[in-house]
Amino acid sequence: MRNSLELLEHVVDTQALQIIQDDLAAVTDMAVLTVDAAGKPVTRHSKCTDFCRAMRSATQSSRLCESCDYRGGNVAQSMQRPYVYKCHMGIVDMAVPLVVDSKYLGSIMLGQISIPGQDAGNELEMLTVSGRSEQKEHDGMLEEYYRNLPVMSYERIESVASLVTHMSHYITGRIGGMGRTYVFSSTAEKRAEENTQAPGMNREHAECVPGQQMQGVPRQQVDELQQEQQPAPDVSCSIRLKPALEHIHTHFRQRLMVAELAKLCWISADYFSRLFRQETGSTFSSYINGLRLEEAKRCLVEGEDSVVNIAYSLGFEDSGYFIRTFKKSTGETPAAYRLKNRAL
């Protein structure tokens, strides 16, 4: 069985990644390194600081640094988002996980910085590792190197985390499943697809393509038709969207905003909407309506609340819209559904 390093080297163009790392380090003023799942580097350090270069020059100290990279990457993988922490020497670092189809491949490591005193309120966990550093005799030199570390605000660190998360999603999207996040098809393939389907229609599902409208059909009806066609996917279908999906399934009765859910996944609102449809097969609004309608069915059969109260309790601001949506989904009004299913 191939180890993680071999796997990464087979699926990632490390030479291209090195160029990206170098540019990223220059722009962010952070050191950047990509490691495998065991914390072993698969690229050369970009913009490594004097402090960390001194630490990693000694065998034992280098092992401690790799141990921190390993632990930081695994915490980021378990959290499924960037993890900002302090290494065993008190240096601020960050791990951005690379995950494909639930498999943790490694992490993009950034940092080798310090944060200003006014950001002390953002308490960071400090990783501890077993072993003894060989650099103790050079404490004076290390103190000088430490004072020369780049200083960065916590707000800036979060901005960089968001940027690198986009980059990691691009990398893992290209690796996993025929580029299921970013689909790059040839011109010939696109033309062949266009010739086998009607304008504005998807060949397999006959859905309206986002941004286009069925000719002669009002936009509102197009949206309702799309909602009627969408399945209710399992919450476990997407690792990248898991934080948002879990929040949706817990709070679907409340008013949910795309921008707020996108922040949970460390991605932009526009990208969240595209990714949500790609990975769930459903628009954001129809997904939530599907959850609300399933709960409405249960309330109608098991409870005594009126149709209007059920609609409002599930987040529908207009009971008339709730009744129309329910009928399109089930073929019956809520009252008829209640009467029929209670009689069974």
Side-chain angles (χ1 to χ4, degrees), residues 77-93:
Q77 182 269 337
S78 65
M79 297 170 63
Q80 298 181 13
R81 62 179 175 82
Y83 173 53
V84 183
Y85 61 95
K86 288 184 179 180
C87 76
H88 65 292
M89 294 298 292
I91 305 300
V92 177
D93 282 329

Side-chain angles (χ1 to χ4, degrees), residues 14-34 41-50 52-53 56 108-113 150 167:
T14 53
Q15 291 184 342
L17 185 58
Q18 186 70 57
I19 295 173
I20 295 172
Q21 273 193 192
D22 292 342
D23 290 342
L24 185 63
V27 170
T28 63
D29 202 26
M30 283 183 167
V32 188
L33 179 70
T34 302
V42 297
T43 56
R44 300 185 309 277
H45 241 121
S46 301
K47 206 178 179 70
C48 186
T49 63
D50 290 336
C52 291
R53 186 177 292 109
R56 291 176 183 260
I108 300 173
M109 314 298 297
L110 304 97
Q112 301 182 15
I113 58 175
M167 187 177 76

Side-chain angles (χ1 to χ4, degrees), residues 98-110:
L98 297 170
V99 180
V100 176
D101 297 330
S102 301
K103 182 177 178 60
Y104 173 56
L105 300 182
S107 290
I108 300 173
M109 314 298 297
L110 304 97

Side-chain angles (χ1 to χ4, degrees), residues 4-5 10 16 18 25 48 61 102 109 118 124 130 145 193-194 215 241 244 271 284 307 311 315 325 340 342:
S4 300
L5 176 59
H10 276 82
Q18 186 70 57
C48 186
S61 297
S102 301
M109 314 298 297
Q118 63 265 28
L124 301 179
S130 59
Y145 287 160
E193 182 176 335
E194 292 169 356
Q215 295 184 357
L241 297 178
Y271 179 53
F284 175 69
V307 170
T325 303
K340 173 184 175 181
R342 278 191 172 179

Side-chain angles (χ1 to χ4, degrees), residues 51-52 55-56 60-69 71 85-93 125-136 142 146:
F51 184 96
C52 291
M55 289 295 300
R56 291 176 183 260
Q60 183 61 26
S61 297
S62 179
R63 289 173 181 168
L64 298 179
C65 294
E66 288 184 3
S67 179
C68 265
D69 290 342
R71 291 190 56 193
Y85 61 95
K86 288 184 179 180
C87 76
H88 65 292
M89 294 298 292
I91 305 300
V92 177
D93 282 329
E125 181 181 3
M126 184 167 180
L127 298 184
T128 57
V129 293
S130 59
R132 182 183 62 84
S133 171
E134 297 175 357
Q135 297 291 342
K136 291 296 184 182
L142 289 177
Y146 185 90

